[in-house]
Amino acid sequence: MILCSNPRAQYLSNKEEIDSSIQQVLSKGEFVLGENVHFFEEEFCEYIGTKHTVSVGSGTDALCLALRALGLGPGDEVIAPSHTATATIAAIAAVGATPVLVDSELSYYTIDPLAVSQAISSKTKAVIVVHIYGQPVDMDGITSVVRQNNLKLIEDCAQAIGSTYHNRRVGSIGDLGCFSFYPTKNLGALGDGGSIVTSSSSLAGQLRKLRQYGWDKNRVSQITGYNSRLDEIQAAVLRVKLKYLDRDNAKRATLAKTYERELNHLPLETVTTRQKCSHVYHLYVLGVERRNDLVAHLKSNDIVAGIHYPVPTHLMPAYVQRTRPSLCLPNAERIAKKVISLPIYPELTESDQDRVINALKDFF
Ligand SMILES: Cc1ncc(COP(=O)(O)O)c(C=O)c1O
């Protein structure tokens, strides 16, 4: 069976180092917010290029805490793309703010800066952009809208760890960058994990309080907070994997090039790669008619294709009432109908990729 993503293969490729780092944590007996978390946060800052990293329990928590650190809640509107993982929008709703969902650019599948500017109202406080599938958003377009309107900018980098926009790592461009270390992500833990990066000392201070009951140094809650901490075992694993992240992202890019080259004569819609950016191919997606038939055909060849995502958030029952019930976002709806994700992960062998390519050729 060829899986769409394969966290087990990731673990096995670094098994000895990971096992030994876990063993060291077990022997030391310090399990939450210890030295591995401390060093991981330092190493992640250096990698992304920000002054601060605050690690937390998941990518969704990272987004919730980022919104709270900016002081956002009931009565505030936050603009975000409808075409994203549900988590982005769930986080806005979880802090009591109102998600205002907008359309994406059809050639890149990322949030459309023009749609953002048209959605701004007197209640708008922030924009969350999502570097979906590993490809950076049009950050020049977005930052100019955000600046002109005095809004805060959060980057959802859950799928784009390591990608760059004009030589800057994503996450280091907005006010705050949020990451997920869910096991299938390009930098995946062996459980849940996430982090927020920022170069603002005051936001970082606020985030450190929020992740632990709102406590100050004396364990007195100055604000209401959460319990959302990265544990030592996950931090130790992430420190091992961070060393190989650029190598692994380069392997993903090579696999993506092969798909592009081998599939370009088939009736498939490809996503345009943005100029002066690096794409880290968390997912390799295409647009296709007769998607269900293709998924079934691949399945019959023992190949698992994914669909990220079958229903745009503005049409999900949980969010339809929060947005305008009649809202129509044609690009997001078109993408959701056609998008398919092919297997891609650093350990995917050439021969397995050939099997996927041949199965696609057979289908057409
Ligand atoms: C774009 C995006 N944002 C946020 C998240 C949430 O991350 P987590 O699953 O770690 O809460 C995910 C992961 O599914 C994601 O893909």
Side-chain angles (χ1 to χ4, degrees), residues 132-336:
I132 193 113
Y133 309 132
Q135 153 123 295
V137 164
D138 171 3
M139 291 304 283
D140 281 356
I142 291 290
T143 43
S144 102
V145 175
V146 160
R147 277 203 200 115
Q148 275 165 26
N149 294 280
N150 207 15
L151 305 175
K152 297 295 180 192
L153 177 58
I154 298 175
E155 292 177 73
D156 181 341
C157 310
Q159 302 190 0
I161 305 180
S163 72
T164 57
Y165 181 87
H166 300 189
N167 293 321
R168 290 173 74 182
R169 295 263 192 218
V170 300
S172 67
I173 304 165
D175 295 288
L176 294 151
C178 297
F179 293 83
S180 162
F181 305 128
Y182 183 77
T184 58
K185 295 293 192 272
N186 291 31
L187 180 64
L190 302 180
D192 277 312
S195 75
I196 307 131
V197 299
T198 181
S199 285
S200 155
S201 300
S202 64
L203 285 176
Q206 196 72 352
L207 288 164
R208 285 187 198 288
K209 288 192 191 118
L210 284 168
R211 79 171 162 188
Q212 191 157 238
Y213 322 122
W215 276 352
D216 62 16
K217 279 187 187 130
N218 301 318
R219 301 189 165 202
V220 176
S221 295
Q222 298 295 345
I223 51 174
T224 58
Y226 303 81
N227 169 2
S228 184
R229 304 172 292 214
L230 188 68
D231 67 64
E232 277 290 289
I233 289 182
Q234 302 308 338
V237 171
L238 291 168
R239 290 184 70 201
V240 172
K241 289 194 169 185
L242 183 58
K243 291 190 285 182
Y244 306 116
L245 180 58
D246 285 343
R247 180 201 69 188
D248 287 349
N249 281 343
K251 286 187 188 165
R252 288 174 183 269
T254 303
L255 292 162
K257 274 217 168 63
T258 305
Y259 277 138
E260 250 160 55
R261 192 182 60 238
E262 295 295 322
L263 303 177
N264 70 6
H265 62 287
L266 300 179
L268 292 161
E269 282 173 23
T270 51
V271 183
T272 312
T273 310
R274 206 178 285 289
Q275 293 294 303
K276 295 204 273 175
C277 292
S278 71
H279 188 325
V280 294
Y281 295 99
H282 170 57
L283 295 168
Y284 185 83
V285 303
L286 293 160
V288 63
E289 307 285 347
R290 294 174 54 217
R291 178 176 62 193
N292 291 349
D293 294 343
L294 178 56
V295 171
H297 171 77
L298 292 171
K299 198 171 170 206
S300 70
N301 284 277
D302 278 340
I303 297 164
V304 182
I307 298 178
H308 302 89
Y309 300 92
V311 180
T313 323
H314 72 282
L315 297 182
M316 292 188 179
Y319 298 107
V320 118
Q321 295 307 322
R322 294 171 196 261
T323 58
R324 283 174 287 127
S326 59
L327 183 64
C328 169
L329 301 174
N331 294 351
E333 289 169 32
R334 190 166 185 273
I335 294 167

Side-chain angles (χ1 to χ4, degrees), residues 79-81 100-105 110-120 127 142 145 329 331:
I79 298 173
V100 174
L101 303 181
V102 300
D103 218 346
S104 292
E105 296 180 291
T110 50
I111 191 168
D112 182 351
L114 183 63
V116 172
S117 69
Q118 289 166 348
I120 293 170
V127 178
I142 291 290
V145 175
L329 301 174
N331 294 351

